[in-house]
Structures are given as C-alpha cells and as structure tokens.
Amino acid sequence: QVQLVESGGGSVQPGGSLRLSCAASGITLGHNAIGWFRQAPGKEREGVACIRLRNGRTYYADSVKGRFTISRDNAKNTVYLQMNSLNPEDTALYYCAAGGPSDFALPSRWSVKSDYGYWGQGTQVTVSS
C-alpha cells in the first residue's frame, strides 16, 4: 500500500532555508509523479513543485521558481523540497502527494490536485521574524 510521510518543517526567519522530505513506500512508476502542495489558513491548497518518476523532470509554481528545488533519491525512496529565500508568504502546511497526470503536455497540468490519489499528513512551515 502507498504511504507518504513528510518531515523537515519548522519555524525560520525570512530569508532562511528548510529542506522537506517525503518518504514514500509502495510507489511504482505507474504513479507518474510526486508533488509538493501547500495550504495556508483560509486559502486553497496549491501546487508547489512536482517531479516525474520516470525521467526526473521537474515543474514549479511561478511563485517559487528560482527559490525551491525538488529532487529525488531513488535508493531511499525519498523526494525532497529544498526551500531557500523563504518569506512569510511561504508559511503553510506542506503536503507531498503521489499520482499526477499521465499526460504532462498541458501547461500546469502537474498541479491539479485531484490527479493525485495519495497524500501525506503534512508538515508545517512557518516563516516569521
């Protein structure tokens, strides 16, 4: 069975960095991708980044391009989200999810949360002075 466990969240000052981890079990190439999503109080859950399992290609939300990096360690069955230059707007509960679309040709298709069938419980990231 698929299980996703996030870790690495915490509280940092603006400009700081954090690295989130998503330990995945029961994942196959048929699940297509692992994505990171986040949800702030009163806001909809939004896609942050995604990595395709077959070829490692990555996708990012415009708001985090140049600051966040998604990567994977296949030997450890783990996906990471390196977050640099954090600002208060990055404060949210961060989730990893498995699934994603079978077709990545359409722009932003990777971020459609209904395409992800498996979700972790989330890890909190708080950025404040």
Side-chain angles (χ1 to χ4, degrees):
Q1 294 182 332
V2 175
Q3 185 175 29
L4 305 172
V5 180
E6 304 97 331
S7 62
S11 181
V12 298
Q13 294 182 330
S17 299
L18 285 173
R19 189 179 75 161
L20 306 183
S21 298
C22 175
S25 62
I27 300 297
T28 69
L29 293 176
H31 291 103
N32 300 326
I34 299 292
W36 283 99
F37 293 76
R38 66 186 182 186
Q39 187 167 20
K43 299 180 67 176
E44 295 288 335
R45 186 166 40 180
E46 63 178 356
V48 177
C50 169
I51 185 166
R52 293 176 66 177
L53 298 179
R54 283 186 172 86
N55 60 18
R57 188 169 183 177
T58 58
Y59 305 82
Y60 297 93
D62 289 341
S63 60
V64 306
K65 286 181 179 178
R67 299 190 297 122
F68 292 9
T69 302
I70 188 170
S71 62
R72 64 179 178 177
D73 185 333
N74 290 334
K76 296 182 178 180
N77 294 317
T78 300
V79 173
Y80 303 97
L81 184 67
Q82 178 66 46
M83 305 185 295
N84 299 325
S85 301
L86 287 163
N87 58 63
E89 288 69 42
D90 296 315
T91 296
L93 188 64
Y94 283 70
Y95 300 88
C96 64
S102 58
D103 184 0
F104 285 80
L106 296 176
S108 299
R109 183 64 189 273
W110 64 269
S111 64
V112 179
K113 53 183 178 290
S114 61
D115 284 339
Y116 293 81
Y118 304 93
W119 296 81
Q121 293 184 336
T123 184
Q124 179 67 40
V125 172
T126 301
V127 185
S128 66
S129 59

